[in-house]
Amino acid sequence: MASPLQFAYRTQKAIGVFDAAPIYEALPGFTQPEGNLRCCTYSPCGRYFAYASNEGVNVVDASVGHIIASLPITNVYELDFSPRGTLLSTWERPAKDEAGDATNNLKVWRVVEEIAEGAEKQPLGRFVQKSMSGWNLQYTSDERYCARLVTNEVQFYDSNNLTTVWNKLRVEGVTHFAVAPGLNQNVAVFVPERKGQPAAVKVFNVPQFNSPISQKTFFKGDKVQLKWNGQGTSLIVLAQTEVDKSNKSYYGETNMYLLSANGAFDARITLDKEGPIHDVAWSPNSKEFGVVYGFMPAKTTIFNHRAVATHSFAIGPRNTISFSPTGRFVLVAGFGNLAGQIDVYDMEKDYRKICTIESGNPSVCTWSPDSRYILTATTSPRLRVDNGIKLWHVGGGIMYNEEMVELYNVMWRPTSPNSPPSGDPLHPVPTPHESALKYLGTVKTPSKPAGAYRPPGARGASTPLHFKREDEGGAAHSVSNGTPSIGPNGFGRPRRQIPGAEFAEPPAVPGATPVVGAAVDEDGLSKAALKNKKKRGGKKGKDGENKASPSGTEGGLAPPPREYGSGSGTEGRSPERRGHHQHQRSQSRNNYPVRNRSNTHRARSQSRPNQRQGQQQNDSYHPLPQNGQSGAPIVQNSDATGANSANAKKMRSLQKKIRAIEDLEMRHAGGEKLEDTQMKKIATKASVIKELEVLEKEFA
C-alpha cells in the first residue's frame, strides 16, 4: 500500500503532522511540540521534517515521526534544506558580540553525521547575513556547489567545504541572482538601472564567468523576479518599477522577458491587455507557462517556450495561476481582495473546465504531490478569524475541513519525482471525511448570486454597457494619463448623464462662442442663457439700453456706446447691473461722483415704510448728459415681474398646504388618530383658502 499523503501545520501553540487521504489522522509517532514555535519545513526530497523551538532545532523522520537529529541552537527564525536533504540551513536574528562585531547568524549543518558520544554537533559553515530576504544559500541540483550574494559579487562554495570561497562571479551593482535547477549549472544575475544605463539580466555557466552566455538589457526595471523552468533551459524575467510614471497603476509598472539559457532566444513578451502582471508560473513540463495580466477583470493566457500564445481562458476576476505537479491540470484563482473562486482546467482535454471551487478567503493554495487534491488555508496574520484547512478534490468536492486558532503555516510533504502517481486523479471520486459533510451542512446557499452593485435604473436585461464588467459584455477598461477617457463601458465618463435621459447642455460662458451642437436662438443665446434672460426680464432691459444708447459722441470724452449683444459679455447680467455698469464708466471719465447701486438693491429688498421714498428716488436717478452728449434718461425696470413671480410662488405654496390639509382630513375620516399639531393644521384650512383667493384675484 502506498504511503498516504501528508501535510504539516503550525499554529499559535503547536506544530502538527497529519496524514491526509485516505486516513485523515495525525501521524502516530510524532509528538506535538508546544510553546513558542517559530518555523517548520519539509526537505525537498520529503524524507525529513524540521522545526525550531525555544529548546533547539529538531529533525524528524517524516515517515514515522521520530527525531533523528537535534541542533544546539535556540534563537532560530528560519529553516531550509538543500535540494537532496543533506544540509540544513538556520538563520538567527542579527546581533553583535562583546567586541561590537556582527555574529555569524547564518549556519549550515549536516543533517545526518556520525559524532562522538557526548560531543556537540558543529556547523559546516558560518556566515553573516543581515537581511532576512534571500537569506539562504542557493544550491545546484546535485548539491555540488552553493552560492550566496555579497556586495558586487556572487560567491560560490564547494558544498563539502563551506569555509573557503571556491570561485567568484564579479558583477558591478548586482542585487539579485538565481541558480538554475536541472543538469545545466547556470546562474542568472540582475543589475538594476544605474546612471542612465539600462537594467540587465545576464546568464553565466558555472564556473566559466569570463563572459555571459545569454543576456537581456531593458529599462523600467528597479527589481525583478527570476523564474527558471524545471530543466533550467529557459528563464522568465518579471521586471517591476517602484513608480509608474504614466500614473496608470499605484503599484508601479511590470514587464516580462523570456531568455534561453544558451543565448539562442530572448524576447519581450507582448501582452494584449493593458494593466499589471499579477502572476506567472512555469508548467512542470518546462515547455509552457501561464500568465495572469491586465486590469480587472484579468486575462489568463498559456504561452509556449517561444513566447507564442497557445490558449486564452475566459477573462474574470483572477490573480493567481498554478500548475499541478503532473502538469495535467491548471488552476486559475482570485485571492486577496477577490472572491476566492478557483477554476480548474484539464489541459489534456483541450483546456476543458472541470469545476469552480468557492474557497472563501484563503491565503494558501497548493496542489497535492499526486495532483489529486487542492489544499486551501486561511492563515494569520493576514486574517485572524476563520483560520483553518480545507482539502478539495480536483473534481470540486470538499474532502476534509478543520478549523484552527491562529494558523500560521501549512505545507504538503513532497514526494520523490522518481515515483510518479498512478491512476486517474478524477476517477474514482474518494469518500469525503465526516468533517467535510459537517461543513457542507453549515454552508448557506445564497438566494441569488452576489455581484457588483448597480442602481435600480441599471438593473435587468437593459443594463447599459457602462454598468457592466468586461467579462459581462462591457468594453475593455482603459486608463488615460491626465486626459478624460470616455469609453463605451463608462470608465472615466464624467458624471453628467442619467441613464435614459438626454445629455445636459454645457452652461454658456458670457462672451464665448456657443457650444457646437447646442440649441441657439436668433439672438445667439443658448437655451440656458435664454432661460436666464427671460427670468430676469432681459427683453425689457435690452429695449431700455437701446433707447438710452446715444447716436453719436461728438466732442465728448466718453467712449462710444457698447452694444450688449451675444459677444459683449453682459448677457448673463440683470438689466439693472447693465445700466449701472454703463453709468459708472461714463461718470468716472467725467469726474462725476459714483453712486453705489448695490445700496439701492439692498433697499429694494427691505419692506420698511421709511425706506420706500428713498427707493423711489433711487429708481428714478440718472446722470445728466455732458459735453454735448445727447440721450434720453435711462428709466429702470419696475418690480412688476418680480412681484408676479413672488405671488405665483406664494400661490403654489398655499395650494400645497391645501393638498396636505385635505390628505389629513381623509386620514382623520378613515379613523386614524391624528396629533394635536395636525388637527390645528386642519383648522387653518378656511384661512388658507381665503388667502389663496385674494392672491388669485390680484394675479388675474
Side-chain angles (χ1 to χ4, degrees):
M1 178 180 176
S3 60
L5 295 173
Q6 186 184 104
F7 63 83
Y9 61 87
R10 179 173 67 94
T11 64
Q12 182 184 20
K13 298 181 178 180
I15 288 178
V17 179
F18 194 85
D19 285 336
I23 300 176
Y24 297 110
E25 64 180 17
L27 185 65
F30 179 75
T31 303
Q32 285 193 358
E34 296 182 356
N36 187 11
L37 306 169
R38 298 189 182 96
C39 56
C40 61
T41 186
Y42 279 104
S43 62
C45 60
R47 290 184 298 166
Y48 307 120
F49 175 73
Y51 63 88
S53 64
N54 289 335
E55 289 74 24
V57 176
N58 294 324
V59 182
V60 177
D61 186 340
S63 300
V64 294
H66 299 159
I67 296 177
I68 61 175
S70 296
L71 307 180
I73 183 170
T74 60
N75 197 27
V76 174
Y77 283 82
E78 290 290 341
L79 291 170
D80 202 5
F81 283 92
S82 59
R84 296 186 176 182
T86 306
L87 304 175
L88 174 64
S89 302
T90 62
W91 183 85
E92 306 166 78
R93 280 186 174 179
K96 294 184 179 181
D97 56 17
E98 297 178 355
D101 299 328
T103 58
N104 295 319
N105 60 323
L106 171 57
K107 299 175 183 178
V108 182
W109 313 75
R110 191 173 296 278
V111 176
V112 179
E113 62 179 352
E114 295 181 0
I115 57 175
E117 186 178 353
E120 195 176 67
K121 197 177 184 72
Q122 296 295 325
L124 297 179
R126 304 169 186 261
F127 306 94
V128 176
Q129 179 65 34
K130 295 182 180 180
S131 175
M132 192 175 181
S133 176
W135 65 273
N136 193 22
L137 302 175
Q138 294 190 29
Y139 296 84
T140 57
S141 296
D142 57 3
E143 291 188 358
R144 182 178 179 183
Y145 304 111
C146 59
R148 65 187 299 261
L149 179 66
V150 296
T151 305
N152 293 331
E153 65 182 20
V154 180
Q155 296 179 348
F156 284 82
Y157 295 84
D158 188 326
S159 298
N160 296 319
N161 181 15
L162 298 179
T163 58
T164 306
V165 177
W166 171 71
N167 207 335
K168 296 180 181 180
L169 171 58
R170 181 76 181 181
V171 180
E172 191 73 22
V174 59
T175 60
H176 186 58
F177 81 105
V179 176
L183 301 177
N184 297 323
Q185 295 183 348
N186 298 326
V187 58
V189 296
F190 167 68
V191 180
E193 297 181 46
R194 185 180 181 186
K195 297 181 179 179
Q197 297 297 320
V201 172
K202 301 179 181 180
V203 179
F204 295 86
N205 183 262
V206 181
Q208 301 171 2
F209 298 148
N210 295 329
S211 61
I213 57 177
S214 179
Q215 62 179 342
K216 180 69 176 178
T217 58
F218 50 88
F219 287 97
K220 298 182 180 179
D222 297 332
K223 56 183 179 180
V224 297
Q225 297 180 38
L226 303 176
K227 295 179 177 287
W228 286 99
N229 62 355
Q231 298 176 355
T233 56
S234 297
L235 174 68
I236 290 177
V237 179
L238 182 59
Q240 183 177 0
T241 59
E242 298 290 349
V243 178
D244 185 3
K245 295 182 179 179
S246 62
N247 294 327
K248 294 181 180 179
S249 174
Y250 177 80
Y251 301 99
E253 187 175 355
T254 53
N255 292 288
M256 191 164 55
Y257 307 89
L258 180 64
L259 289 78
S260 61
N262 57 9
F265 176 80
D266 68 85
R268 176 181 176 180
I269 302 175
T270 304
L271 304 175
D272 57 354
K273 183 175 174 60
E274 187 179 13
I277 299 173
H278 304 286
D279 195 17
V280 57
W282 278 103
S283 171
N285 60 21
S286 299
K287 297 179 181 179
E288 55 188 354
F289 59 93
V291 186
V292 184
Y293 58 95
F295 292 110
M296 290 295 165
K299 186 175 183 179
T300 304
T301 303
I302 304 297
F303 295 84
N304 62 14
H305 66 287
R306 303 290 291 184
V308 177
T310 58
H311 181 77
S312 293
F313 299 103
I315 62 175
R318 304 291 184 265
N319 58 6
T320 303
I321 184 170
S322 177
F323 290 87
S324 64
T326 59
R328 176 179 174 180
F329 306 107
V330 61
L331 67 82
V332 183
F335 299 138
N337 59 347
L338 301 179
Q341 294 179 329
I342 302 175
D343 297 330
V344 182
Y345 299 90
D346 191 343
M347 301 184 66
E348 294 182 357
K349 302 294 183 180
D350 197 21
Y351 301 98
R352 179 176 61 88
K353 185 176 181 179
I354 300 174
C355 64
T356 297
I357 299 174
E358 300 289 344
S359 63
N361 49 4
S363 48
V364 176
C365 180
T366 56
W367 286 95
S368 64
D370 62 354
S371 301
R372 195 181 298 267
Y373 301 96
I374 300 173
L375 184 147
T376 62
T378 303
T379 60
S380 295
R382 180 181 175 270
L383 285 176
R384 297 189 181 274
V385 295
D386 299 333
N387 283 190
I389 298 172
K390 294 183 180 66
L391 204 62
W392 309 83
H393 185 249
V394 69
I398 185 169
M399 298 288 108
Y400 178 77
N401 175 66
E402 182 178 358
E403 296 181 356
M404 299 182 179
V405 178
E406 289 200 27
L407 174 65
Y408 292 119
N409 196 12
V410 61
M411 68 204 76
W412 286 106
R413 177 191 177 187
T415 57
S416 174
N418 299 326
S419 56
S422 58
D424 186 1
L426 292 172
H427 305 285
V429 178
T431 304
H433 188 256
E434 59 181 9
S435 62
L437 301 177
K438 184 178 179 181
Y439 169 77
L440 291 176
T442 61
V443 175
K444 296 180 180 179
T445 304
S447 57
K448 51 184 175 181
Y453 171 79
R454 295 188 179 93
R459 298 172 186 170
S462 59
T463 302
L465 288 180
H466 57 273
F467 282 107
K468 290 185 178 181
R469 293 201 312 254
E470 186 176 354
D471 55 337
E472 296 177 343
H477 173 34
S478 59
V479 178
S480 64
N481 181 20
T483 58
S485 175
I486 302 177
N489 65 338
F491 287 103
R493 179 188 290 272
R495 297 295 182 180
R496 55 186 291 270
Q497 179 191 11
I498 300 174
E502 297 181 356
F503 281 99
E505 297 296 339
V509 179
T513 306
V515 180
V516 178
V520 180
D521 70 337
E522 59 183 3
D523 293 334
L525 299 178
S526 64
K527 286 184 177 179
L530 184 61
K531 187 176 181 180
N532 292 335
K533 177 181 175 182
K534 290 181 178 179
K535 281 185 177 180
R536 298 167 181 167
K539 188 174 181 181
K540 294 183 180 180
K542 187 174 182 181
D543 294 337
E545 290 161 8
N546 291 336
K547 293 178 181 179
S549 299
S551 59
T553 56
E554 298 178 2
L557 298 177
R562 297 180 59 187
E563 296 182 2
Y564 295 99
S566 59
S568 65
T570 59
E571 56 269 25
R573 300 178 180 176
S574 63
E576 293 85 358
R577 290 185 178 272
R578 292 178 185 172
H580 163 58
H581 180 73
Q582 185 179 11
H583 293 305
Q584 187 176 15
R585 292 196 57 177
S586 61
Q587 290 171 5
S588 61
R589 289 176 178 265
N590 293 278
N591 298 324
Y592 273 84
V594 180
R595 296 289 298 273
N596 190 348
R597 304 296 290 173
S598 60
N599 294 333
T600 303
H601 292 297
R602 282 198 297 269
R604 290 178 180 175
S605 63
Q606 299 174 357
S607 58
R608 291 175 293 186
N610 58 352
Q611 292 184 352
R612 293 179 180 263
Q613 183 177 1
Q615 179 181 354
Q616 295 174 0
Q617 293 176 357
N618 287 337
D619 287 344
S620 61
Y621 168 79
H622 62 273
L624 296 176
Q626 297 294 326
N627 298 332
Q629 182 179 0
S630 61
I634 298 176
V635 180
Q636 298 294 332
N637 186 27
S638 65
D639 290 341
T641 304
N644 292 339
S645 177
N647 289 340
K649 186 175 181 180
K650 193 170 183 180
M651 288 171 59
R652 289 193 298 269
S653 177
L654 294 174
Q655 291 170 353
K656 185 177 180 182
K657 283 185 180 181
I658 294 174
R659 287 194 298 269
I661 292 173
E662 291 175 348
D663 181 58
L664 291 174
E665 288 177 341
M666 293 179 63
R667 288 164 56 186
H668 185 62
E672 182 178 350
K673 185 177 180 180
L674 301 180
E675 297 179 359
D676 294 340
T677 55
Q678 293 174 326
M679 296 300 297
K680 291 179 180 178
K681 188 173 184 179
I682 293 176
T684 61
K685 181 178 181 181
S687 61
V688 174
I689 293 176
K690 185 177 181 180
E691 187 177 358
L692 179 60
E693 291 176 352
V694 173
L695 287 176
E696 287 177 348
K697 291 179 181 180
E698 293 180 358
F699 192 74

